[in-house]
Amino acid sequence: MQLFQAPEGSTVTILNVSGEEHNRRHLECLGISKGEKIQIVDSHGGAVIVKVKGYRLALDKDICACISVHPEIKGGTCNV
Amino acid sequence: MSDDKKYIFALAGNPNCGKTTLFNSLTGATAYVGNWPGVTVEKRAGTYKSKDIGTADIVDLPGIYSLSPYTPEEIVSRNFILDEHPDCVIDVVDATNLERNMYLTTQILEMDVPVIVALNMMDALRKNGQDVDCKKLSEKLHVPVIPVSALKFENLDNLMKAAIETAKTKRTGTSVLLDGKNNEVILKAKSIYIKDWVPNPLYHAIKDLEGDDIERKHHPFEFKQVSALVKSNNDFEQESSDERYQFIDNEVGPCIIGSPITDPNKPSTTDKADKILTSRIWGIPIFILVLLLIFHLTFSEDLLFLNAMGAFGSEGLVSFKGTPFEGLFANGGIASIGVFFSNLINDLTGWFTEWLRSIITINWVKGLVCDGICSGVFAVFGFLPQILVLFAFFSLLEDSGYMARVAFILDRIFRRFGLNGRAFIPMILGFGCSVPAMMNTRTLSTQKERTQTIRVIPFFPCSAKLTMITAVAGALCNAFNFANVDLITGFIYIFGMFVAIFATIAMHITTQREELPPFIMELPNYHRPQLHSLSLHIWDKAKGFIKKAFTVILLSTLMVWLFSHITWKWQFLNDDTQLSSSILASLGMFFQPLFTPLGFGYQISKDTGWVFVVSSFMALIAKENAVSTFATFAASLGFSNVSSTVAVGYMISETGIGIGGLMAFIVFNVLTIPCVAALATAKAELPKGQLKWTVLFWVVTSYLLGSMTYLVFTWTWTLAIFIPLLVGFILFLYFYNRNNTKKEKEKNLKVLKEGTV
C-alpha cells in the first residue's frame, strides 16, 4: 500500500520509493529509504507526518503516493 | 598558550541543529535563530577571541541534510567546505538525534579537511537520562568529539581548543563505504581523481558514483571516466546510503549510554500539541485566530473591545482629559501596548518639537527643523512600538516551532491549487521585512517557485508599510466616522495575503507552469522561546529602525521639505500658502492625472492634491516616507506637533479626498513596487531578465486593484461588474489549466510510448 493509506499510529516498513531522482535522493538523506521502519504519527487528507530516525517529518500527498510501505507484523519480521 | 595564526573554522550540520546558536555563543554575534529548518540561508562570519586559546574566524553555514544539495542555500555550504578550504570543519551534531545527524558526518569525513564533531544539545540529552561515550565515538569516527551546549555556553572553550589543535594537523578523507562491498570501485574512481590532481579525490569519487548532478557539471571529464566503471542503473547510491545508515546503527548507536527517561513510544508534549495544532479541523481556525489576536494586540485602541461592549462610560476608565497624556486613553478603552507606547512617543516628540519651535527665532530654520525634519521623522518614529510588538509576536511564532506546522497545514489546503506550503514561510517573513523574506526563498527547490514567491512577498505588508496603513486608516476612520483602525488594518493584511495567494496560483497556472515540488519538511520539537535571543532580536530590529529613521527617512523628509519650498527659479517660498508653486508640487501635479482612476488624481484639490502622488513616489525610497511626507506637509501648512494620524487627517480635509481614494491609496502602496532595498534584493535573487517583468507585474497589479478599490468604495454598484469579471478570470484560469494539463498528459504518454518502442 501507499504511505497515505497506512493507518495512523501504525509502524510500517518502506518497500520502495519511486518518483523523480532528485526527490528520491533527498528523501534518502532524510532517512526515507527501502527497509526503514517508520511510524505514522498523523495522517489525514493524504498528507502525513511520520516519525523516522527519531524525528518528525511532514510529507504531502503526492510524495506519499511515491512511497510504498508494508505494515509491520508484530512479533516477527516480514520478508519481502 | 595562544598562537598568532588566525584560523578559519566552518560550522556545518543539519538544519535546526543549533549552528547559529553556537555561532552566536562563540562570536558574541546576535544572528537570528529560529526553530524551523532553513533560518540561515547565507554564510556569515564572526570572530572568536580568547587570550588563552587563540583567535579564529567562525563561518556559520546554512543547514544541510547531505552534501548532495537539494536547494540553492545548501549549495553554499557544500561549496564553502570544498572551495574555501577552512582550517577545520566543526560538524555540529544534535546529540538528541544522532541517527540522522551522523549521516552528514559520514559524508563530511570523506573530504580531505580536518574535522571535529561538536555534539550540541548535550544538556537536553543528559536531562533525558542519556549520555554519549565521546571517547568511543571519537575512535569510531577517527576525529575528536566534544560534547557542548551552545545555548548554555557549556564546554565551548574546550571545543575551540580541540578545533585549533585539529586545525594544525592534516587529514585525508576516510569513508565508511570503504568497508562495504563497493570498496574496489570507489578506490578505482579515487585513483582517477588522484591522477588528475583534483583535491578531495575520495569525496569526488563517491559523489560521482552516486551520480551527483553538481559533480557532473564541475568535473565532466572525470565524471565520464568514473561512470564508465559501473554499469548503468546500478544501485550504488541506494547501497551507499544503506551502508552509511548501517554504520550509524552498528557503530554509533552503541556509543549512546543509558535509556531515555521519557518513553519514546508514548506521545510527547510535541505530539500532543500537534494533535490539535495540525488537526484537519482545528489547524486553520487556530492559525487565523492566532493572526487576528496578534493584530488586535498590536493595533487595537480598544483592547478586547471592552469599550465597544460598553465596559466603560464615555469618560473612560481613567481620564487624562486636559493633560498632555490625553492621547494615551483617547478612545476610552484600553490601548494595546503598541498603541499605548506609540501615543506616548507622539506626545513626547510633540513637546520636544514645540520646545524647539519656541527657541528657534529664524523663520526658515524653524521651518526646516520643526516642519521638515522633526515632523517627518517623528511621524515615523511614533510607530516604533507597534512595529516592535508585531515583530515580537512573529518572532515568537518562529521560535516556538509553530512556523513549520503553519507551512504544513497550509500546504494541505493550497497544494491542490498549485501552491507549495513551504513557500508560505518566506511569505510570512514578509510581514517583518521583504528583504530577508526574499532571501529566504532560497530554501525553495525550484527556480519558478522562487520567482513567483519573490513577486508576491511585497503583498504581505512589511513593518514599514504598517506605518502608512495605520496612519491613513486611522485618519480615514476619524474623518469619515467609518469602521475602525484594527478593522481596516486587518482587512488590508488579509487582502494582501489573498492577492498573494491568488497571484501565485495564477502564475503557477500560466507563466510559471511546472510540476509542483513536493512538500518535505522536518517538524522540530516545540520549545519555549529563548527570551534572551528574542530580546536581542527585538533590540536589533529597533536599532535598525532608528538608524533608518535618522538616515534614509531624515534625508527624504529634508528633500521633501526643501523641494516643496523652492520654486523652479530657486526662490525660497516663505509663505506656506504658496507651496503649490514649488518644484515638488509641479512634479506631483504632472503625474497626478495618472492617478485619477485611483481616486487621488483630478478629483482632488489642485492646491494640495498632489501630496498623495508625491508621498507614493517618496515611498519607493522607504515605505515609511509615505507618512513622513504627509507630516512634513501638514506641518508646513501650519498643522504641526500632531501624531501622523492627525497629520493625514489634516491632508484629507485640505484635499477633499474621499474614502475610496484613501483606500485605493493604501492598496496601491501596499501592492506596488517595494522600497529600493527590496528591489535590489529581488534583482539579486531573481533569474536574469526577470526583474523587468516582476516590476511590471507589481505596477499593473497595484494600479488595477487600486482602481478597483476606488470604484467599489465610491460606487458600490460597481461590484456588480467586478464580481462577474473575477469569476470570469477564475473560470479562464480553470479551463486554461485543464486544457494544458490534458496536453501535458498526452505529451508524457507519447514520450513514454516512444521510449518503449
Side-chain angles (χ1 to χ4, degrees):
Chain A
M1 65 181 166
Q2 252 87 51
L3 181 58
F4 65 81
Q5 294 163 321
E8 218 171 279
S10 67
T11 303
V12 295
T13 310
I14 297 172
L15 286 181
N16 187 35
V17 182
S18 59
E20 261 180 74
E21 195 188 332
H22 179 62
N23 296 329
R24 230 174 44 220
R25 203 169 277 221
H26 185 51
L27 284 175
E28 216 151 70
C29 304
L30 290 163
I32 303 282
S33 60
K34 212 162 146 181
E36 183 71 29
K37 285 189 187 111
I38 56 176
Q39 193 197 340
I40 317 291
V41 178
D42 192 303
S43 166
H44 41 222
V48 165
I49 300 176
V50 296
K51 235 182 213 167
V52 51
K53 304 267 175 213
Y55 74 100
R56 255 175 238 89
L57 189 68
L59 301 164
D60 73 76
K61 187 177 181 171
D62 299 333
I63 202 81
C64 284
C66 294
I67 303 169
S68 54
V69 294
H70 193 281
E72 175 95 333
I73 297 161
K74 274 213 173 127
T77 47
C78 62
N79 298 312
V80 186
Chain B
M1 243 204 349
S2 151
D3 57 64
D4 301 329
K5 187 178 172 199
K6 199 170 186 187
Y7 296 96
I8 297 175
F9 296 156
L11 299 180
N14 279 185
N16 218 30
C17 74
K19 289 176 300 301
T20 305
T21 309
L22 182 61
F23 173 80
N24 286 347
S25 299
L26 287 173
T27 62
T30 55
Y32 185 52
V33 181
N35 184 20
W36 42 282
V39 185
T40 309
V41 291
E42 224 177 11
K43 60 175 189 242
R44 61 167 88 80
T47 309
Y48 169 85
K49 253 188 210 155
S50 160
K51 257 192 214 142
D52 307 320
I53 298 164
T55 320
D57 276 339
I58 312 281
V59 181
D60 181 23
L61 297 173
I64 42 176
Y65 288 109
S66 91
L67 285 170
S68 306
Y70 186 66
T71 53
E73 106 270 18
E74 297 186 3
I75 299 175
V76 174
S77 305
R78 174 201 176 271
N79 289 356
F80 186 84
I81 305 176
L82 277 182
D83 304 336
E84 314 269 324
H85 309 290
D87 294 300
C88 179
V89 172
I90 300 178
D91 175 21
V92 186
V93 166
D94 176 355
T96 60
N97 188 355
L98 277 184
E99 227 183 328
R100 197 204 57 220
N101 278 252
M102 279 286 157
Y103 187 84
L104 175 70
T105 309
T106 63
Q107 296 190 342
I108 293 177
L109 291 176
E110 282 157 11
M111 294 177 167
D112 296 340
V113 61
V115 176
I116 171 171
V117 172
L119 276 185
N120 194 19
M121 309 198 198
M122 275 306 271
D123 51 325
L125 189 74
R126 283 179 184 142
K127 213 172 150 192
N128 201 15
Q130 286 181 297
D131 209 333
V132 176
D133 185 344
C134 291
K135 207 172 148 229
K136 197 164 155 192
L137 185 60
S138 158
E139 279 163 13
K140 299 277 182 204
L141 300 173
H142 310 290
V143 294
V145 177
I146 313 289
V148 298
S149 166
L151 193 64
K152 299 194 171 145
F153 293 84
E154 275 170 28
N155 222 12
L156 298 186
D157 285 339
N158 280 336
L159 175 74
M160 292 316 283
K161 243 186 237 164
I164 287 175
E165 282 311 310
T166 313
K168 287 175 188 160
T169 60
K170 278 232 173 329
R171 190 180 157 281
T172 19
T174 56
S175 175
V176 300
L177 303 181
L178 288 174
D179 300 327
K181 59 177 167 187
N182 290 313
N183 175 15
E184 269 176 44
V185 73
I186 292 172
L187 290 177
K188 261 189 219 157
K190 185 182 167 190
S191 66
I192 291 171
Y193 274 97
I194 293 178
K195 203 178 70 211
D196 290 354
W197 294 97
V198 180
N200 297 306
L202 180 64
Y203 169 79
H204 287 300
I206 293 173
K207 282 287 157 225
D208 280 11
L209 289 167
E210 287 176 355
D212 189 270
D213 276 339
I214 298 181
E215 291 295 316
R216 199 188 307 243
K217 273 179 222 145
H218 286 199
H219 302 280
F221 182 63
E222 288 85 2
F223 187 87
K224 228 175 165 182
Q225 295 180 57
V226 173
S227 306
L229 291 175
V230 286
K231 282 178 241 133
S232 60
N233 70 19
N234 75 96
D235 273 342
F236 184 89
E237 197 228 332
Q238 167 87 42
E239 283 164 14
S240 76
S241 125
D242 284 349
E243 280 174 17
R244 285 182 206 282
Y245 272 123
Q246 260 165 33
F247 169 82
I248 295 168
D249 280 349
N250 300 337
E251 308 292 329
V252 177
C255 297
I256 302 171
I257 310 166
S259 49
I261 295 174
T262 51
D263 183 357
N265 293 320
K266 262 193 188 156
S268 62
T269 325
T270 299
D271 291 331
K272 282 179 205 152
D274 269 349
K275 269 270 167 285
I276 305 163
L277 294 177
T278 66
S279 135
R280 194 175 193 183
I281 303 162
W282 297 110
I284 292 288
I286 290 176
F287 174 58
I288 292 173
L289 203 73
V290 167
L291 279 188
L292 288 180
L293 201 67
I294 289 177
F295 290 129
H296 183 66
L297 290 175
T298 311
F299 300 114
S300 181
E301 292 181 346
D302 183 9
L303 209 57
L304 305 176
F305 303 109
L306 290 175
N307 191 40
M309 291 189 299
F312 304 116
S314 55
E315 283 301 300
L317 176 66
V318 191
S319 182
F320 284 96
K321 265 216 156 86
T323 71
F325 292 105
E326 195 181 327
L328 292 184
F329 295 98
N331 278 8
I334 304 172
S336 59
I337 333 164
V339 174
F340 180 86
F341 281 102
S342 278
N343 290 343
L344 191 66
I345 287 186
N346 282 333
D347 286 342
L348 295 178
T349 52
W351 275 354
F352 179 72
T353 316
E354 200 46 47
W355 174 73
L356 276 182
R357 201 178 292 276
S358 68
I359 59 163
I360 299 173
T361 45
I362 309 164
N363 228 355
W364 70 267
V365 178
K366 195 186 275 187
L368 176 76
V369 174
C370 299
D371 301 342
I373 300 172
C374 289
S375 296
V377 173
F378 290 155
V380 173
F381 218 72
F383 287 98
L384 181 62
Q386 269 158 304
I387 287 172
L388 292 186
V389 171
L390 190 67
F391 190 70
F393 279 123
F394 277 107
S395 302
L396 279 177
L397 283 193
E398 287 181 50
D399 205 20
S400 62
Y402 185 50
M403 202 69 150
R405 273 77 183 181
V406 169
F408 176 65
I409 53 177
L410 291 175
D411 184 82
R412 227 164 30 195
I413 296 176
F414 290 107
R415 172 154 295 269
R416 70 191 83 157
F417 301 112
L419 222 164
N420 183 356
R422 188 68 183 81
F424 277 103
I425 291 189
M427 289 184 200
I428 291 171
L429 294 183
F431 282 136
C433 174
S434 293
V435 173
M438 286 178 178
M439 282 165 66
N440 195 269
T441 56
R442 292 177 201 169
T443 57
L444 302 174
S445 58
T446 71
Q447 185 57 61
K448 284 183 174 172
E449 193 171 33
R450 286 194 285 279
T451 304
Q452 64 190 25
T453 309
I454 286 171
R455 285 181 179 166
V456 302
I457 279 174
F459 298 169
F460 287 74
C462 68
S463 58
K465 287 174 182 166
L466 178 158
T467 63
M468 185 257 305
I469 300 170
T470 18
V472 178
L476 188 158
C477 301
N478 296 341
F480 300 99
N481 216 353
F482 172 79
N484 62 47
V485 192
D486 354 355
L487 205 68
I488 297 181
T489 312
F491 168 77
I492 293 292
Y493 272 81
I494 291 166
F495 181 73
M497 283 190 269
F498 178 79
V499 175
I501 291 170
F502 190 78
T504 314
I505 294 169
M507 277 190 273
H508 179 78
I509 290 176
T510 55
T511 58
Q512 308 291 317
R513 213 176 161 78
E514 66 170 355
E515 202 174 313
L516 196 63
F519 182 85
I520 305 171
M521 194 172 187
E522 181 185 352
L523 302 181
N525 280 332
Y526 289 105
H527 68 57
R528 232 173 277 134
Q530 313 293 343
L531 284 183
H532 177 70
S533 86
L534 182 72
S535 51
L536 281 178
H537 192 206
I538 293 172
W539 173 234
D540 266 357
K541 177 86 181 173
K543 267 198 304 201
F545 183 85
I546 294 168
K547 206 170 132 198
K548 193 175 173 192
F550 284 104
T551 51
V552 179
I553 296 165
L554 189 138
L555 273 175
S556 306
T557 42
L558 213 66
M559 254 169 59
V560 168
W561 185 84
L562 207 65
F563 287 107
S564 62
H565 284 78
I566 289 178
T567 65
W568 287 104
K569 290 174 185 152
W570 297 104
Q571 268 173 326
F572 182 72
L573 292 168
N574 234 337
D575 184 359
D576 285 331
T577 53
Q578 293 173 341
L579 287 191
S580 54
S581 44
S582 67
I583 293 180
L584 208 57
S586 63
L587 284 176
M589 281 184 228
F590 179 77
F591 288 106
Q592 198 179 342
L594 270 180
F595 293 89
T596 308
L598 287 91
F600 49 103
Y602 268 132
Q603 303 90 329
I604 52 179
S605 138
K606 263 248 141 137
D607 283 343
T608 44
W610 44 272
V611 170
F612 286 91
V613 178
V614 169
S615 122
S616 298
F617 274 102
M618 292 308 292
L620 295 179
I621 300 172
K623 291 292 162 183
E624 293 95 337
N625 277 345
V627 167
S628 63
T629 305
F630 285 128
T632 303
F633 282 126
S636 298
L637 293 169
F639 232 75
S640 52
N641 307 334
V642 291
S643 75
S644 47
T645 313
V646 180
V648 179
Y650 181 69
M651 295 316 298
I652 293 175
S653 58
E654 270 297 292
T655 56
I657 190 173
I659 298 178
L662 288 167
M663 289 302 287
F665 177 81
I666 301 177
V667 167
F668 175 76
N669 278 298
V670 166
L671 302 181
T672 201
I673 308 171
C675 68
V676 276
L679 203 61
T681 313
K683 184 176 177 350
E685 300 291 331
L686 283 168
K688 248 196 178 145
Q690 282 293 318
L691 185 73
K692 55 177 185 290
W693 298 116
T694 305
V695 169
L696 187 72
F697 167 76
W698 286 328
V699 172
V700 170
T701 312
S702 57
Y703 195 82
L704 283 182
L705 290 176
S707 310
M708 255 169 76
T709 312
Y710 170 64
L711 293 172
V712 169
F713 273 91
T714 317
W715 299 284
T716 320
W717 58 264
T718 49
L719 270 177
I721 302 170
F722 289 125
I723 291 175
L725 269 179
L726 189 71
V727 173
F729 186 54
I730 292 172
L731 283 177
F732 164 75
L733 284 177
Y734 174 75
F735 285 111
Y736 182 89
N737 186 34
R738 212 173 64 164
N739 223 354
N740 275 285
T741 316
K742 225 189 207 165
K743 269 187 214 156
E744 277 159 14
K745 263 190 190 154
E746 277 163 15
K747 209 170 139 197
N748 282 343
L749 271 178
K750 220 174 158 188
V751 170
L752 266 177
K753 267 184 195 161
E754 278 167 6
T756 49
V757 171

